[in-house]
Amino acid sequence: MGKMTQKYARIDPGLVEGLRLIPADEMAQAGELVETGLSSRIFVPGGSTFAPGSFIRFGLTMSGMGNYTMSGIAEWAKDGGAGDDETGLGIRVLEISVAGIETAAAKDRNRSETGPAGHEAAGSPEAQVPKHAVDPAKSILPGKKAVADLLLSLLDMNVAVTDGDPVKIEPQTPSAVCTFVLDDGRPKACWISEFSLVVNIGAALAVIPPEVALEHIRKTELPDNIRENFQEVLNVSASLFNKPDSQHLSLGALTITPDTVPDAVQSMIASASGRSDMKIAIPGYGDGMMTLVESAVE
């Protein structure tokens, strides 16, 4: 198989680790992804080469974003496009999973088994909000099906929404923090999501190619058009919190960290009365975590 006439994003080889063949017992599942998986393409310079058509897996660490595990298929080797003498591997990425963006949650679980947890950063919802503090019958937080149905209507994709891990608000890890407010402006609910989910939702709404979204995630950059698209999804999402017997909510402020989250929002999160953690997988783009919290304020 020769080098394909596709655009490949060049990846710093220092960010890649554990480049290896997919185990034989996973080959059949990997083969199915050739038809249904992603179509993002990357070039990894270096001496690691695999025969075209090989199913491979590797880790990718992105500054400020954590770790990903990627599975793909080797499409060509040797010429990297940055120079005829550069060697490396052209890969079609078939699947991306989060391996360490929020490893803090796992660390918290490990600490709980061995001793008291350490000091948590302000605004860490899992540190201060019991997941089932609110009677589900009285909660305004939407369920997974409601979220999936709304994203289906907006993105025209069968988005998978499953149980997820809490998203922390930390200065070194970009994330989105958006409030939904009462008519008097007080925050009643909050949407917190990983940066990757922000980019993928904003890109999918405008049918921006997945490989472009992946490049923005890798560079931790949020173009105005993708931010505006994401904010439009948030605006429509306000309807998820409006129940027949609850007060009306509308979209409040959106903060993309490391920009400072307003004190009022941090206080609302710290005193929230309920929480829901979800993993959202967008076909062709990848997945990301989202945490919703609600306040007892009336």
Side-chain angles (χ1 to χ4, degrees):
M1 182 185 300
K3 180 178 175 181
M4 301 179 71
T5 57
Q6 299 282 353
K7 183 177 180 180
Y8 288 77
R10 189 182 190 279
I11 300 295
D12 183 343
L15 304 179
V16 176
E17 62 180 3
L19 195 60
R20 61 201 183 277
L21 288 171
I22 289 178
D25 59 353
E26 297 181 32
M27 284 293 187
Q29 181 180 3
E32 293 175 1
L33 289 173
V34 174
E35 297 298 329
T36 62
L38 306 177
S39 294
S40 301
R41 288 177 164 83
I42 63 173
F43 168 66
V44 181
S48 296
T49 58
F50 294 86
S54 300
F55 290 108
I56 56 179
R57 181 169 293 152
F58 56 96
L60 180 66
T61 301
M62 292 187 285
S63 177
M65 287 300 299
N67 305 320
Y68 290 83
T69 297
M70 297 191 176
S71 300
I73 184 171
E75 292 191 322
W76 49 269
K78 259 195 123 116
D79 178 14
D84 291 341
D85 58 345
E86 185 173 24
T87 61
L89 189 65
I91 304 170
R92 176 189 166 195
V93 178
L94 301 173
E95 188 174 50
I96 304 172
S97 60
V98 178
I101 281 184
E102 283 302 333
T103 53
K107 291 178 182 177
D108 289 342
R109 288 194 293 270
N110 291 335
R111 283 198 297 265
S112 69
E113 294 174 358
T114 57
H119 176 71
E120 298 291 351
S124 301
E126 78 280 17
Q128 304 174 26
V129 185
K131 192 166 185 179
H132 303 293
V134 174
D135 179 349
K138 299 179 181 179
S139 174
I140 64 168
L141 297 182
K144 294 187 288 291
K145 185 178 185 304
V147 173
D149 287 347
L150 181 134
L151 292 175
L152 168 63
S153 68
L154 292 174
L155 307 181
D156 195 26
M157 296 180 183
N158 289 314
V159 175
V161 181
T162 56
D163 291 335
D165 295 325
V167 181
K168 279 192 172 184
I169 304 171
E170 297 179 320
Q172 69 272 27
T173 305
S175 60
V177 182
C178 178
T179 57
F180 296 90
V181 300
L182 298 167
D183 290 340
D184 62 7
R186 290 178 298 159
K188 173 66 175 174
C190 190
W191 165 313
I192 308 165
S193 62
E194 293 175 337
F195 183 78
S196 58
L197 187 60
V198 175
V199 174
N200 285 332
I201 287 178
L205 184 66
V207 201
I208 295 171
E211 54 267 29
V212 175
L214 179 62
E215 185 71 4
H216 289 315
I217 294 169
R218 187 178 70 83
K219 293 180 177 179
T220 321
E221 60 184 19
L222 185 61
D224 290 343
N225 62 327
I226 290 181
R227 180 183 177 124
E228 291 168 3
N229 292 342
F230 176 69
Q231 193 151 352
E232 180 57 32
V233 170
L234 291 174
N235 189 40
V236 179
S237 296
S239 63
L240 293 171
F241 301 93
N242 288 316
K243 307 295 177 64
D245 56 348
S246 66
Q247 298 189 63
H248 176 264
L249 295 185
S250 57
L251 182 64
L254 169 63
T255 301
I256 304 294
T257 63
D259 288 354
T260 303
V261 178
D263 290 342
V265 178
Q266 293 192 44
S267 297
M268 177 262 164
I269 295 172
S271 61
S273 56
R275 183 186 101 233
S276 179
D277 307 311
M278 302 181 190
K279 178 180 179 180
I280 298 177
I282 304 174
Y285 288 85
D287 55 44
M289 301 297 173
M290 174 183 74
T291 289
L292 301 176
V293 296
E294 65 179 311
S295 168
V297 64
E298 297 292 345

